[in-house]
Amino acid sequence: MKILVFQHADCEHPGYFRQLLAEDGHEWTPVELDAGETPPPLDGFDALWVMGGPMDTWQEDEHPWLAGEKALIKEAVAERGMPFLGLCLGHQLLACALGGDCGPGKAEIGVMDVFATDEGKDSPFFEGVAFPLTSLQWHSAEVTSVPKGATVLATSPDCAVQAMSWGPRAFSMQFHMEVEADTVDNWSGIPAYAGALEKVFGQAGVERLREACRAEMDQFNATAQQVYLNWMQACALTPGMRG
């Protein structure tokens, strides 16, 4: 399987999912849009993943490539029916690309619980996943309206749309499942993330969040593996998918 991966910061890659992809022999091709890299044609790829990033979906003046990215996401998901996985900014971009909207929200930063909706409990995407689900949150924007045809799969008190699906093969999450041992240290090197972290936790923010993630790392990885397997099963339903 060949997966095209849109990145918006060098250190916001697929994280723990890289290990799972390598174990299964899948290929993934990163394109770092914030660095000026140009996406290749979607032909020849089996799926699209879109990762997180410090920019907001509406900042097209500062980041003109966002408009083109949204167009490619719409082409991949709505026109080609490609399997899709979006995390954080990728979750928000999927919503905007398909006709939904995003805006500023209450900052969620830390290790927090998300809760399955009734639809999420029945979704194959979360099969075998226990809720409430403890996850890493690091965002201050959110999906404010979902696209027509989307289903909200998970929620939290401060963010109504924590996960959603669109059709049978497009899934996205506001929270992070790709966490590794060095994730907090790497992401705290991004000024926007460091500033948000300090507002919540003070000067010791990196250490506190690192320790909170370390305490949950086994669960983070086990959940990521289950969701990865569920997503791959959804991919297998795609006509003509290369295995």
Side-chain angles (χ1 to χ4, degrees):
M1 190 174 186
K2 296 182 67 175
I3 301 172
L4 180 61
V5 178
F6 289 164
Q7 294 184 199
H8 314 96
D10 179 64
C11 62
E12 281 212 67
H13 44 64
Y16 179 69
F17 289 120
R18 296 177 299 175
Q19 176 181 326
L20 303 177
L21 291 169
E23 289 172 353
D24 288 344
H26 299 298
E27 300 177 32
W28 62 281
T29 300
V31 177
E32 192 173 340
L33 299 173
D34 66 296
E37 295 184 1
T38 301
L42 295 174
D43 294 334
F45 290 97
D46 298 308
L48 175 63
W49 286 15
V50 181
M51 312 309 296
M55 58 288 300
D56 290 309
T57 58
W58 56 86
Q59 293 180 317
E60 293 184 10
D61 288 343
E62 297 95 323
H63 308 286
W65 44 265
L66 281 167
E69 182 178 17
K70 293 172 193 173
L72 280 173
I73 292 171
K74 181 178 180 180
E75 178 186 347
V77 174
E79 299 174 21
R80 294 174 178 252
M82 292 175 68
F84 177 94
L85 182 67
L87 297 172
C88 201
L89 177 61
H91 164 72
Q92 297 166 16
L93 286 168
L94 176 66
C96 291
L98 299 179
D101 202 4
C102 296
K106 184 175 180 179
E108 285 187 309
I109 300 172
V111 174
M112 303 174 174
D113 286 342
V114 297
F115 303 86
T117 63
D118 288 342
E119 293 81 4
K121 293 173 185 176
D122 294 331
S123 172
F125 186 60
F126 285 133
E127 183 176 353
V129 175
F131 284 90
L133 173 62
T134 303
S135 62
L136 173 63
Q137 302 275 8
W138 206 332
H139 69 99
S140 57
E142 63 179 325
V143 175
T144 54
S145 65
V146 297
K148 183 179 180 180
T151 301
V152 178
L153 305 179
T155 188
S156 72
D158 291 324
C159 180
V161 188
Q162 283 284 354
M164 69 177 185
S165 61
W166 192 91
R169 304 177 194 96
F171 302 93
S172 63
M173 296 166 285
Q174 181 61 66
F175 52 96
H176 293 279
M177 284 190 172
E178 74 275 31
V179 187
E180 297 177 293
D182 60 355
T183 295
V184 172
D185 291 297
N186 289 339
W187 290 4
S188 64
I190 298 175
Y193 292 170
L197 185 60
E198 185 173 339
K199 282 184 179 179
V200 174
F201 292 110
Q203 293 291 330
V206 174
E207 181 178 354
R208 289 179 62 182
L209 188 55
R210 184 196 305 123
E211 290 304 312
C213 287
R214 182 178 298 168
E216 298 291 341
M217 193 62 64
D218 288 345
Q219 182 260 308
F220 285 168
N221 293 166
T223 302
Q225 184 170 22
Q226 183 62 56
V227 167
Y228 165 83
L229 292 172
N230 294 344
W231 184 85
M232 283 292 176
Q233 184 62 39
C235 290
L237 302 176
T238 305
M241 176 63 61
R242 294 196 297 267

